[in-house]
Amino acid sequence: MSALPDHFSRARNASKLLNCTVQVPTAGTTRWNPSPEQIKVLEMLYRGGMRTPNSVQIERITEELGKYGRIEGKNVFYWFQNHKARERQKQKRAALLTLSTLDSSSLPAAAPGTKEGPEKKKEETEGLTTSCKRRCKAAWGDHHGDDAADCTDDVTTLELFPLRPQGKA
Amino acid sequence: MSALPDHFSRARNASKLLNCTVQVPTAGTTRWNPSPEQIKVLEMLYRGGMRTPNSVQIERITEELGKYGRIEGKNVFYWFQNHKARERQKQKRAALLTLSTLDSSSLPAAAPGTKEGPEKKKEETEGLTTSCKRRCKAAWGDHHGDDAADCTDDVTTLELFPLRPQGKA
DNA sequence: GCAAATTAATGATTTATTCAAG
DNA sequence: CTTGAATAAATCATTAATTTGC
């Protein structure tokens, strides 16, 4: 897991000693590091039911989160992807654990310490949540805005995307 | 998990019952249909070694292909994705076939008519092409162009991306 | 108490799989 | 059946926690 050629990156251990509150601006950071407020908003949206925001939603979220720090649209996109995937991963693991606890007779393989349980391929304990087929729509940059009068399909999910706490969908 | 009545797909199966041709906005076709010239250029680029163009490259390709018909950046992106994937798929299949031909004793399962051969997981006949690790860079809309002096680190594949028949290396 | 070494989280990319239009 | 479009899974890579030796 940890191959470290020991490359002391750029703006690393600047803080800690110096309690300077400077936010390390100017280009430096390669990877987006979400601030607590940003995470809060994102999780709120997620708990509100948002799974894969489309481009318009992403734009709005990005704009909103931009108040709390530098952020791009792709960060939002990736955040939702990863969050969803890892949530599912956790649930799957929990389900397996529950199963093994409830029924301690089966469970042939899948040593819990190895790495995972990559036995079949997928669809292991999948038939419990996602029943809906697929939802289409992606988050591509539809901003080309040249000639083609291609309808920017938004409008659909806009209503259930308040961005301000409204209470459930 | 999917507790949200997300956008009921919009232009997907919209015109099924209602055979009304309306609603389809000005740009009729939902799906991009590449013209022969476009395919030609794309295949040339592919044969030239391009696998996953970055945003700048995609923009340029899109611009070039736009001469031969309506096209968006995501079309180019998806085309490369699909072409690569399906090329690999074919190679894999061919390799399996070759193996079974050379050694007609093994090959336990993988009925060729069922659906596929989803036996293990992956890494079956993989170690034949991709030796380079990974290349980074995606095709996101990096067009924010605000202040951040974020280096748009293309440069990786740019050299082998002439876009104009140059004679190649 | 600290910084290097390790580990755990998680952002970012690529690959595999699936859906559906033509 | 072919293939564009979209999503989910796997993987890589980097940053933050945490541990460990001094």
Side-chain angles (χ1 to χ4, degrees), chain B residues 14 21-22 79 82 89 102 158:
Chain B
T21 336
V22 291
W79 189 90
N82 283 319
Q89 188 170 248
L102 286 180
L158 262 182

Side-chain angles (χ1 to χ4, degrees), chain A:
Chain A
M1 260 77 168
S2 53
L4 59 125
D6 189 26
H7 54 292
F8 11 88
S9 44
R10 41 229 141 251
R12 262 293 291 124
N13 44 10
S15 49
K16 271 299 172 53
L17 289 190
L18 321 165
N19 56 357
C20 56
T21 340
V22 294
Q23 64 281 27
V24 197
T26 57
T29 27
T30 35
R31 188 166 111 166
W32 170 59
N33 204 25
S35 69
E37 298 99 331
Q38 291 176 332
I39 292 183
K40 216 152 174 186
V41 174
L42 286 171
E43 284 185 342
M44 188 182 65
L45 288 172
Y46 189 89
R47 296 240 319 257
M50 179 173 290
R51 299 210 321 177
T52 63
N54 61 23
S55 55
V56 181
Q57 296 172 327
I58 286 183
E59 262 182 69
R60 291 178 61 180
I61 298 174
T62 303
E63 193 177 0
E64 175 70 21
L65 295 186
K67 300 175 183 174
Y68 308 117
R70 201 173 287 99
I71 191 173
E72 289 181 57
K74 68 172 190 173
N75 304 131
V76 175
F77 175 75
Y78 286 142
W79 189 91
F80 275 95
Q81 292 259 117
N82 283 319
H83 200 72
K84 179 173 36 166
R86 276 156 186 156
E87 200 76 12
R88 171 173 307 181
Q89 188 171 248
K90 257 173 197 155
Q91 289 227 348
K92 187 193 288 190
R93 200 130 91 174
L96 279 189
L97 253 286
T98 300
L99 272 192
S100 73
T101 302
L102 285 181
D103 177 60
S104 55
S105 58
S106 299
L107 256 296
T114 313
K115 189 168 194 172
E116 203 85 328
E119 21 211 13
K120 267 183 292 192
K121 191 157 77 161
K122 69 172 145 211
E123 254 130 286
E124 304 185 60
T125 52
E126 191 93 79
L128 37 83
T129 46
T130 59
S131 51
C132 52
K133 279 308 189 63
R134 200 171 271 229
R135 264 343 169 358
C136 326
K137 208 77 293 251
W140 257 92
D142 268 323
H143 58 286
H144 54 10
D146 36 67
D147 53 279
D150 106 79
C151 57
T152 345
D153 43 72
D154 20 321
V155 302
T156 44
T157 23
L158 265 182
E159 51 187 85
L160 57 96
F161 171 55
L163 203 335
R164 54 205 67 213
Q166 186 200 36
K168 214 264 173 182

Side-chain angles (χ1 to χ4, degrees), chain B residues 16-72:
Chain B
K16 260 300 175 49
L17 299 186
L18 323 165
N19 57 353
C20 56
T21 336
V22 291
Q23 163 148 24
V24 197
T26 25
T29 24
T30 36
R31 189 166 115 167
W32 170 58
N33 202 27
S35 69
E37 298 99 330
Q38 290 176 332
I39 292 183
K40 217 155 176 182
V41 174
L42 286 171
E43 284 186 342
M44 187 181 65
L45 289 173
Y46 189 90
R47 295 239 320 257
M50 179 173 291
R51 299 211 321 179
T52 64
N54 60 26
S55 56
V56 181
Q57 296 172 326
I58 285 183
E59 263 181 67
R60 291 177 61 181
I61 299 175
T62 303
E63 192 177 359
E64 175 69 23
L65 295 186
K67 300 176 183 174
Y68 308 116
R70 202 172 287 103
I71 191 174
E72 289 180 58

